[in-house]
Amino acid sequence: MMEGYDPGAFPPFAVTVDLAVFTVRESRLHVLLVKRGEDPYKGAWALPGGFVRVRESAGAAARRELAEETSLSHETVAGLHLEQLRTYSDPDRDPRMRVVSVAYTALVPDLPEPRGGGDAAHAQWVDLPGACSLAFDHDRILADAHERIGAKLEYTCLATSFCPREFTLGELQQVYETVWGVELDRPNFRRKVLTTPGFVEQVEGPPRRTGGRGKPAALYRAGAASALHPPLLRPEGRQA
């Protein structure tokens, strides 16, 4: 102990992690939720998460809790790119004691079906409009995370991860519309995508017929870029 420092002079509090993990399923945005098996909020839906152990970093705790509460394999969880969202520290956010939470978020291609584990009675992917009235302050965390992943689509090439290996620009546009919750102008979207260096590259070969009476659509694959320059911004005033 350092001289002059008294740990007892400071009230103890706990640190937790919470995770907002999103994916696109059947052209709709889903979030991974768990049903709490213990009080407080027993039986309520919540984001996966839990307490950080004494000899554990927040990042390590986030991956451990995600694996424990959803029964996803440790290999699957280790491969996810989790981005730290922000810290939530309102004094009354947890009825048990003073708890500070470090929140993480991720937008990932479809994962295996989760199962409950640890103190989670059940886990499942939930269509985002149905993810409400969550335990603790998780509604707020979820809203902040949704805004963050929407911004990631503006500045990165992440949207191509949710398309087939070869895709049409219409399929790519649908990913943006699903995450942003807006309807985009097709010619304007096409122009922005095709003029952004390294975003997509056209596939040689015959176009794909997409149904209806329209002409067959050209196929593309993900380009070499990881960031979008210039960014592909959401239309002003039309955000979800």
Side-chain angles (χ1 to χ4, degrees):
M1 183 186 302
M2 295 182 61
E3 185 177 352
Y5 174 68
D6 178 13
F10 302 92
F13 64 89
V15 178
T16 61
V17 290
D18 291 301
L19 299 102
V21 181
F22 299 90
T23 196
V24 176
R25 293 185 136 200
E26 300 176 350
S27 301
R28 297 180 69 86
L29 187 64
H30 287 68
V31 64
L32 185 59
L33 296 182
V34 298
K35 182 169 287 188
R36 289 185 56 79
E38 299 178 359
D39 288 324
Y41 301 105
K42 183 177 181 179
W45 288 103
L47 298 174
F51 289 91
V52 179
R53 295 171 177 170
V54 174
R55 303 296 299 175
E56 186 178 48
S57 69
R63 295 183 188 278
R64 174 182 55 77
E65 285 288 348
L66 184 59
E68 289 178 358
E69 292 200 339
T70 64
S71 294
L72 294 174
S73 72
H74 288 280
E75 291 76 13
T76 296
V77 170
L80 299 182
H81 174 69
L82 299 179
E83 179 177 342
Q84 191 172 128
L85 177 64
R86 57 171 293 183
T87 299
Y88 296 83
S89 58
D90 289 349
D92 299 322
R93 60 178 304 275
D94 191 311
R96 293 168 292 189
M97 61 182 297
R98 178 73 191 275
V99 175
V100 174
S101 182
V102 182
Y104 291 81
T105 189
L107 178 62
V108 298
D110 207 2
L111 293 174
E113 287 296 331
R115 303 187 309 276
D119 60 0
H122 183 63
Q124 72 180 53
W125 291 105
V126 177
D127 192 355
L128 190 61
C132 57
S133 300
L134 304 180
F136 305 103
D137 54 355
H138 290 185
D139 286 320
R140 177 187 175 193
I141 296 175
L142 181 58
D144 291 345
H146 186 200
E147 175 60 30
R148 173 68 65 84
I149 60 107
K152 284 189 73 68
L153 262 61
E154 294 182 323
Y155 294 94
T156 75
C157 302
L158 181 62
T160 59
S161 300
F162 296 87
C163 295
R165 183 174 177 274
E166 297 180 354
F167 52 86
T168 67
L169 294 185
E171 289 170 329
L172 182 63
Q173 180 175 331
Q174 188 175 58
V175 174
Y176 278 89
E177 291 179 337
T178 297
V179 176
W180 286 349
V182 300
E183 185 175 340
L184 300 174
D185 178 74
R186 182 176 179 275
N188 192 39
F189 178 83
R190 178 184 179 89
R191 176 184 58 80
K192 289 181 177 180
V193 169
L194 295 181
T195 57
T196 301
F199 191 4
V200 298
E201 57 184 41
Q202 190 165 354
V203 176
E204 295 183 2
R208 180 200 298 168
R209 183 167 295 281
T210 57
R213 298 183 178 180
K215 64 180 181 180
L219 292 174
Y220 296 83
R221 65 169 63 96
S226 58
L228 301 181
H229 301 289
L232 199 152
L233 301 178
R234 282 169 282 190
E236 290 188 14
R238 298 175 61 189
Q239 286 89 341

